[in-house]
């Protein structure tokens, strides 16, 4: 993925037009990073026609649009007004709302599925806990919450922490291990049914990661976790 000028924080700060344009073009060009991300989200969400799906941290609207292509009734929320304006302009047929993930503007049981793709690493513990409670509230009984987030144990993230080759993203204030995420979800009342680490998009590493099949923490680029609200 090309280096973006600014990135989002939990409060929606750090957004600018350069960031939005870059995110949109990554999606439209189907860069290797984007293809990886879309494949992972499709695997987690299993989008089906008629599913009511909420995309948390929708930014320029790419993931919301992607989910809609499967016939889902997809809705995006983001704390950045600029992001919502970009998304509405690009995808006028879809619904986007400016909202804090810790206080969602929807009635209870409004969605069948929720996805947080590359969002939770931007959230502190209190915000994550509030988000999970809100997800429980707006999901139907038996609905799913899918999380796609960097694996802090991956070699790339370890290099970032040491400022070797790559710089750490300063907005990644909430990088969590699979064990930590699972504990947070279970504490919120969710039942974790998928907990895997998926390969990245760097060619050589991807080959090694596929061979490791997520069994080696150093070679699991993204944590992919799907949990289910109690029936």
């Amino acid at each position: 993925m090309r280096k973006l000028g600014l990135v989002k924080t939990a409060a929606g700060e750090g957004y600018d037009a350069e960031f939005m344009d870059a995110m949109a073009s990554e999606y439209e060009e189907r860069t290797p990073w984007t293809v990886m991300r879309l494949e992972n989200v499709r695997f987690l969400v299993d989008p089906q026609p008629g599913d009511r799906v909420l995309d948390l941290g929708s930014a320029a609207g790419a993931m919301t649009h992607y989910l809609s292509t499967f016939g889902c009734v997809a809705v995006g929320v983001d704390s950045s007004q600029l992001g919502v304006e970009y998304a509405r302009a690009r995808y006028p047929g879809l619904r986007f709302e400016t909202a804090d993930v810790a206080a969602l503007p929807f009635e209870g049981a409004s969605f069948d599925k929720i996805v947080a793709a590359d969002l939770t690493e931007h959230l502190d513990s209190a915000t994550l806990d509030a988000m999970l409670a809100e997800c429980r509230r707006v999901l139907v009984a038996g609905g799913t919450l899918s999380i796609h987030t960097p694996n802090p144990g991956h070699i790339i993230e370890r290099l970032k922490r040491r400022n070797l080759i790559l710089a750490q993203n300063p907005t990644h204030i909430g990088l969590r291990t699979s064990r930590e995420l699972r504990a947070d979800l279970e504490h919120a009342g969710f039942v974790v049914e998928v907990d895997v680490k998926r390969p990245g998009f760097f060619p050589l590493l991807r080959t090694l990661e596929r061979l490791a099949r997520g069994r080696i923490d150093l070679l699991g680029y993204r944590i992919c976790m799907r949990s289910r609200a109690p029936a």
Side-chain angles (χ1 to χ4, degrees):
M1 182 180 71
R2 70 169 65 99
K3 185 177 180 180
L4 304 182
L6 292 174
V7 292
K8 65 180 178 180
T9 67
E13 300 169 354
Y15 271 128
D16 64 0
E18 180 186 1
F19 175 85
M20 288 299 160
D21 286 338
M23 289 295 287
S25 63
E26 290 282 348
Y27 175 59
E28 292 166 358
E29 295 167 16
R30 290 298 198 272
T31 62
W33 177 80
T34 296
V35 170
M36 171 211 71
R37 189 168 181 256
L38 297 181
E39 287 177 348
N40 289 345
V41 167
R42 183 176 183 180
F43 160 75
L44 282 171
V45 176
D46 185 27
Q48 299 296 323
D51 282 346
R52 297 169 298 168
V53 185
L54 179 61
D55 174 24
L56 300 177
S58 53
M63 191 61 71
T64 310
H65 175 262
Y66 175 70
L67 292 167
S68 75
T69 65
F70 295 94
C72 297
V73 180
V75 177
V77 297
D78 204 286
S79 56
S80 166
Q81 181 62 39
L82 176 61
V84 169
E85 290 173 357
Y86 259 69
R88 287 173 176 169
R90 285 184 174 273
Y91 309 110
L94 300 178
R95 180 183 175 187
F96 296 93
E97 300 290 344
T98 305
D100 187 334
V101 295
L104 295 170
F106 307 107
E107 295 182 357
S110 293
F111 296 96
D112 304 300
K113 298 173 179 179
I114 298 176
V115 60
D118 301 289
L119 171 68
T120 59
E121 63 271 22
H122 298 278
L123 307 179
D124 60 27
S125 295
T127 305
L128 177 63
D129 288 345
M131 184 197 88
L132 295 179
E134 280 292 87
C135 288
R136 275 285 306 273
R137 182 181 67 80
V138 303
L139 274 173
V140 298
T144 62
L145 167 61
S146 297
I147 293 176
H148 180 265
T149 187
N151 169 25
H154 189 264
I155 186 172
I156 296 296
E157 294 300 326
R158 295 188 184 194
L159 290 173
K160 286 180 179 180
R161 285 199 297 273
R162 293 166 175 77
N163 287 316
L164 297 174
I165 304 176
L166 298 169
Q168 181 61 273
N169 186 329
T171 72
H172 284 189
I173 61 172
L175 284 167
R176 298 171 178 86
T177 65
S178 293
R179 181 175 296 179
E180 290 168 333
L181 273 175
R182 176 184 282 270
D184 289 332
L185 286 161
E186 291 176 345
H187 184 263
F190 287 92
V191 177
V192 176
E193 58 183 27
V194 173
D195 181 1
V196 298
K197 296 181 180 73
R198 303 262 288 189
F201 63 98
F202 303 99
L204 178 58
L205 268 179
R206 186 173 177 85
T207 299
L208 294 174
E209 288 166 335
R210 283 176 167 169
L211 290 173
R213 296 183 180 179
R215 293 190 293 263
I216 301 174
D217 203 41
L218 197 66
L219 295 174
Y221 185 64
R222 279 294 189 270
I223 293 170
C224 293
M225 193 169 291
R226 183 173 68 232
S227 60
R228 192 172 296 276

